[in-house]
Amino acid sequence: MVGSAQQLSGRHVLLGVSGGIAAYKAAALARELVKGGASVQVILTSGATQFVGAATFAGLTGRPAHTGVFDDAHQIHHVRLAREADIAVFAPATANLIAKFAAGLADDLVSSTFTCLTCPVVVAPAMHTEMWSHPATQDNIATLVRRGVLVVGPEEGELAGGDVGPGRLVEPATIVAAMAAALRPQGPLASRRVVVTAGGTREPIDPVRFIGNRSSGKMGYALAAECARRGANVELVSGPTWLLEPAGVTIHHVETALQMRDAVLKLAADADVVVKAAAVADFRPAVYHQQKIKKEHVELGHVELERNPDILAELGAARRRRQSDGGPPAPLLVGFAAETDLEEERGRDKLHRKGLDLIVVNRVDMADAGFNVDTNRALLLGVDGLRTEVPLTTKAELAAVVCDQIEALLVRRQRQS
Ligand code: CTP
């Protein structure tokens, strides 16, 4: 239970309760949601108050439970509460409440609020078996399902008055799990495995010194966070940075280009998308000195370098091989090009040379774009001829534009397969 409830942490939940003996379970549901970190606003039909009082819910949620459309009428509760909700759940939902929802009736606070909702809605019916199996109820349920309402239950079991049969409210844990599922993103990135690289690499000269670059990792972290927000399973391969780990992302810390290569190649094997936002050092010192080099020694003045592998080009080449062998589809590849101008021709050349689907050419030489700042400007170029200029914007917004393009490419690929 706590697992699902935690997925609702920080969410505004509207809990509508109608009149049935199962209303006592709504109190347990409110408690679990609050324990999981959600803020819960309860609204009650007058029938519900016959079973559980508003004071019980107020005590459990820490906020007044509302019952009437005209209580504090100036606050227009039904409209405000519907706007505030990230998700609404109606448990227990009686046959009468379900009929009102299906018909669009708005004659009390709960039904009026329902007609204002734009967020995901979960309905958990509870009633006697005869009422549940009545064609009117079944038609009403079908109408709600067709309109996108998630109906959970009822289950078979003991009902009021000692009867047994279908009609019993499902347990709070089942309702919470359904709510978590209803909130899960449904777009093309949902449940995809995405590898994102971020930050710069450090190429050690000796235990103290390294060759590095000015990348802060902000762009890659923004991309990882946006992919996770869209429901992807994100593996973030990060060079050293002071940034906080984005929520819901699995992080792999690396330091050198070779370590990044190892991590990325392993993770890319079963990824759907690889986004290489990292600034990978093209060269590393040919020799690593185990002891700190003393400044009198000549070596520091002559650090011999050797080429690092180009991870992205390797992934592109592996993909070409898989395509010509008729192997399973390789991940979609998104590269970045750090440039001091938004030279389209150079971007297109990198796009084709490295075998990418999309390249984000971004400026790194301006006070408000590139390394260590929160804003950027970019030119997106795609294999499908896409060309999108993104004027100065936040890295979070640029990440959303890049994710929109990734989603469009995923949809296109799915149509072609
Ligand atoms: N990249 C990589 N491995 C490297 C170097 C770069 O995977 N050894 C990736 C970067 O993560 C980025 C893309 O390649 O997505 C382009 O990086 P860029 O800075 O433009 O470097 P180069 O392609 O090497 O081009 P240039 O000749 O301009 O340095």
Side-chain angles (χ1 to χ4, degrees), residues 197 199 257 260 275-283 307-315 334-339 346 350 353-354 356 359-360:
T197 69
M260 183 169 280
V275 185
K276 286 231 63 226
V280 186
D282 288 317
F283 297 92
R307 279 298 291 265
N308 268 328
D310 187 319
I311 308 165
L312 196 50
E314 268 189 67
L315 289 170
V334 181
F336 272 68
E339 303 289 356
R346 217 171 316 137
K350 259 182 212 176
R353 191 162 37 87
K354 298 201 183 195
L356 311 179
I359 191 157
V360 184

Side-chain angles (χ1 to χ4, degrees), residues 96-158:
N96 182 53
L97 190 70
I98 289 164
K100 283 197 208 177
F101 286 175
L105 280 181
D107 65 351
D108 66 1
L109 178 63
V110 175
S111 54
S112 301
T113 307
F114 178 84
T115 56
C116 297
L117 289 170
T118 52
C119 63
V121 177
V122 174
V123 164
M127 63 199 75
H128 260 80
T129 307
E130 294 85 337
M131 291 174 99
W132 172 247
S133 15
H134 194 282
T137 306
Q138 288 302 309
D139 281 356
N140 291 333
I141 285 286
T143 301
L144 294 185
V145 170
R146 188 164 37 79
R147 291 179 189 158
V149 170
L150 184 63
V151 177
V152 52
E155 62 186 12
E156 227 176 293
E158 255 181 69

